Amino acid sequence: MDLAELRAIAQASRDRRKPTRIRCCTAAGCASSGATAIKTALDAAVQDQGLTDTVEVCSVGCMRFCGRGPLVAVDQGDRAPGQVLESDRLYEFVTPDHAPSLVASLQGGTPEATPGDWNHPFFAHQQPIVLENSGNIDPESIDDYIATGGYEQLYHTLMTLSPTEVIGEVTRSGLRGRGGGGYPTGLKWATVAKMPGDQKYVICNADEGDPGAFMDRSVLESDPHRVLEGMAIAAYAIGANHGYIYIRAEYPLAIAHLKKAIQQAKRHGFMGSQIFDAQFDFKIDIRVGAGAFVCGEETALIASVEGKRGNPRPRPPYPAQSGAWGCPTLINNVETYANIVPIIRNGGDWYANIGTANSKGTKVFALTGQVTNAGLVEVPMGTTVRKIVEEMGGGVPGGGSVKAVQTGGPSGGCIPEHLLDTPVDYDSLRELGTMMGSGGMIVMDQTTNMVEISRFYMDFCREESCGKCVPCRAGTVQLHELLTKLVKHQATPADLIKLEQLCEVVRDTSLCGLGMSAPNPILSTLRYFRHEYEALLQTPAYLKA
């Protein structure tokens, strides 16, 4: 296949579209609220009202405003991918009973569903790059993806760029790993590319285990071909011919969409031998994990991919030197690979102009917790936490006040209300004692007990510890016991000192990132909410007397 054939497929896909498209979000979140039944009802209403020649109902991925789902959008007229026209309509809290009136509104009727607003701050402050196709295309249709320019950047890469030039564009973009560590992506790619050996691997880490996080799941459910194309470009750049996507079994819809996307890519010749007639072979296999949080750590993930117990190992050697089956291995997460296609399409300098000096581009967050507008948001780096939580998220429901915002999952920490004007970037969050993480952002109101929050995350880390190293295996248990004593008003001031000291030991001596970061929620809440810990201390006997 050449570029002309690829663009012919894209044009044919656009030509098949009917004048009116009704987009129905069938991602896992909306599907659990009855979205599949809504699509069935919409299909029936289109047929009953004799509109099958001009109206089509499409299943699409996440439309982002999860707190108001299920969502349905009605588009009329031609448009660029992701473009919103004046004639477009959005509906919220849709049920199957709304379907007949929604379809009838195309001919002048009045829809019964609640109207939404594409100009709502939740949408208006976003800058979709990773999510540009999410909610706009059918994730099970490769033709829909090709119609947006899909796989053209892989063709452009193979036909016009050397591996060094590809790495150069990624380096110029300033993209840093979106899995939480923030390591420069271009530097990681260059390191793997320089390693000797005929066999190298590319791995996508889709083992999204943070409580409250659903960014990677949504991308894979909504736009799987974007990730496959990004992985193929990465493989060409580093000299790999085999890739793996490691995804947890709790994501059945994402797995199904990935499997179908891989089959479609093979049939179209975008995967396999001599892709686009170039001297480049690449295939991708899926490895389904059992949900162990520790397998988000890259060496544990590699062990699991190899069919072994998912335990981390000491580094060095790093995976870039000796990874899967002892070969140089590149590991990035879903969001990192999803950024590659737009970077190659628009250039590294374009991407570097978005964000801050040391944190380029955009970041996808799963905004959840005590917030009015829960959902998926993609904002430029440097956007303040307050803007995300209060303007886009609408603040705490019922007019309550924000007490803290937790970022980074069990590896992160809590940001108090008076620091919400902090910009979201790697360095600023680290200074506050938290981290970007993969992108979870949980809002807590004034009723939240911060010691209980620390105990919840420590319980999670205790359960998820692989047990290989003593500091994590035993330390997380002891930290949880100390927090339990506090919650039960059985702890003494000496226990509080012990808690802080043990946090430092676990952080400084654990083998992998799980143990090293497990104390973060405790340390950050002690830093900003120490009075809540002290209020739970047992009164000494001599004071009781």
Side-chain angles (χ1 to χ4, degrees):
M1 182 181 294
D2 59 18
L3 185 59
E5 292 175 292
L6 185 61
R7 289 180 173 172
I9 295 173
Q11 187 58 52
S13 178
R14 289 190 288 266
D15 291 343
R16 284 195 298 271
R17 289 184 180 174
K18 297 175 182 179
T20 298
R21 298 179 81 215
I22 301 177
R23 291 183 283 128
C24 182
C25 174
T26 53
C30 282
S32 66
S33 301
T36 304
I38 294 168
K39 183 182 183 301
T40 301
L42 287 167
D43 280 326
V46 169
Q47 186 166 352
D48 292 344
Q49 296 178 35
L51 298 176
T52 54
D53 291 339
T54 58
V55 179
E56 61 180 335
V57 182
C58 308
S59 292
V60 296
C62 182
M63 296 170 70
R64 292 178 277 168
F65 214 161
C66 307
R68 300 195 182 186
L71 300 173
V72 169
V74 178
D75 304 337
Q76 295 178 292
D78 294 330
R79 84 272 320 289
Q83 182 183 9
V84 177
L85 304 180
E86 285 288 330
S87 58
D88 294 345
R89 296 290 179 265
L90 176 67
Y91 298 97
E92 305 168 345
F93 307 114
V94 180
T95 69
D97 292 339
H98 294 143
S101 68
L102 278 177
V103 176
S105 71
L106 302 175
Q107 302 180 92
T110 302
E112 296 175 0
T114 304
D117 181 10
W118 288 118
N119 295 314
H120 189 284
F122 181 87
F123 293 114
H125 295 314
Q126 297 202 38
Q127 186 174 350
I129 294 177
V130 169
L131 302 178
E132 63 182 347
N133 290 334
S134 297
N136 294 312
I137 66 172
D138 180 353
E140 296 187 81
S141 170
I142 191 172
D143 288 354
D144 255 21
Y145 180 68
I146 293 173
T148 68
Y151 288 106
E152 282 196 21
Q153 300 316 309
L154 177 58
Y155 178 89
H156 170 66
T157 296
L158 298 181
M159 296 297 109
T160 66
L161 298 177
S162 69
T164 302
E165 289 173 325
V166 175
I167 294 172
E169 287 294 346
V170 174
T171 302
R172 277 192 293 278
S173 74
L175 176 66
R176 295 170 66 174
R178 295 299 193 249
Y183 192 82
T185 304
L187 179 57
K188 179 180 279 191
W189 288 25
T191 302
V192 182
K194 289 187 293 187
M195 290 296 128
D198 295 330
Q199 183 62 62
K200 297 179 182 180
Y201 294 99
V202 168
I203 295 179
C204 176
N205 182 354
D207 190 63
E208 184 176 51
D210 291 1
F214 53 92
M215 303 76 57
D216 291 350
R217 186 196 76 192
S218 295
V219 171
L220 293 174
E221 289 176 353
S222 306
D223 197 10
H225 285 284
R226 166 69 71 88
V227 178
L228 300 186
E229 187 175 5
M231 289 180 68
I233 292 171
Y236 171 76
I238 69 163
N241 59 17
H242 197 167
Y244 290 94
I245 298 176
Y246 186 85
I247 183 169
R248 51 183 44 225
E250 293 93 332
Y251 288 175
L253 184 61
I255 293 169
H257 285 183
L258 276 172
K259 287 181 176 179
K260 188 167 188 176
I262 290 172
Q263 292 170 353
Q264 292 172 338
K266 287 179 180 177
R267 283 200 301 269
H268 281 70
F270 305 144
M271 198 173 296
S273 300
Q274 296 185 322
I275 300 171
F276 289 118
D277 294 324
Q279 296 301 310
F280 174 62
D281 305 337
F282 186 59
K283 67 174 183 177
I284 293 177
D285 291 320
I286 295 174
R287 289 290 184 267
V288 178
F293 181 66
V294 73
C295 286
E297 194 276 336
E298 56 186 18
T299 62
L301 183 154
I302 288 172
S304 188
V305 167
E306 293 173 336
K308 303 172 186 174
R309 179 184 172 93
N311 280 349
R313 62 163 174 78
R315 300 176 301 173
Y318 292 90
Q321 304 163 294
S322 178
W325 294 280
C327 301
T329 301
L330 171 68
I331 302 182
N332 286 129
N333 85 323
V334 170
E335 188 178 342
T336 307
Y337 286 120
N339 271 297
I340 298 305
V341 169
I343 287 173
I344 299 300
R345 181 177 64 218
N346 300 310
D349 292 336
W350 162 81
Y351 194 83
N353 284 326
I354 303 168
T356 66
N358 295 318
S359 299
K360 306 295 187 181
T362 60
K363 182 71 188 77
V364 180
F365 290 99
L367 184 62
T368 60
Q370 295 298 316
V371 64
T372 302
N373 304 323
L376 210 60
V377 300
E378 183 175 3
V379 295
M381 291 282 198
T383 304
T384 65
V385 180
R386 190 179 303 279
K387 186 171 187 176
I388 296 171
V389 171
E390 296 186 352
E391 291 187 43
M392 301 174 71
V396 174
S401 57
V402 177
K403 182 175 185 177
V405 176
Q406 204 270 351
T407 66
S411 304
C414 296
I415 304 170
E417 189 280 334
H418 70 276
L419 293 176
L420 293 187
D421 291 314
T422 300
V424 170
D425 61 59
Y426 292 100
D427 300 330
S428 297
L429 293 182
R430 192 175 296 112
E431 288 175 7
L432 297 184
T434 184
M435 63 187 298
M436 186 89 67
S438 58
M441 186 173 283
I442 302 174
V443 181
M444 305 170 189
D445 66 9
Q446 290 296 328
T447 65
T448 305
N449 183 312
M450 304 310 290
V451 183
E452 283 281 13
I453 289 296
S454 295
R455 184 168 173 262
F456 166 79
Y457 281 114
M458 190 51 60
D459 182 52
F460 180 87
C461 292
R462 178 189 65 168
E463 292 293 326
E464 293 295 336
S465 173
C466 74
K468 185 172 183 178
C469 73
V470 172
C472 181
R473 182 179 72 235
T476 53
V477 172
Q478 293 175 23
L479 286 170
H480 184 265
E481 290 175 351
L482 287 168
L483 290 168
T484 300
K485 287 181 69 176
L486 275 160
V487 169
K488 292 182 176 181
H489 296 269
Q490 297 173 351
T492 66
D495 289 320
L496 189 57
I497 295 172
K498 187 186 299 182
L499 181 73
E500 291 184 275
Q501 292 174 337
L502 186 55
C503 280
E504 294 174 2
V505 171
V506 174
R507 180 192 63 197
D508 296 340
T509 61
S510 291
L511 173 62
C512 82
L514 191 157
M516 292 175 186
S517 59
N520 285 351
I522 300 175
L523 293 171
S524 72
T525 50
L526 276 169
R527 180 177 178 181
Y528 299 116
F529 302 97
R530 190 179 188 88
H531 60 282
E532 294 195 22
Y533 284 82
E534 293 174 340
L536 296 175
L537 294 176
Q538 186 181 59
T539 304
Y542 69 89
L543 289 179
K544 290 181 180 179

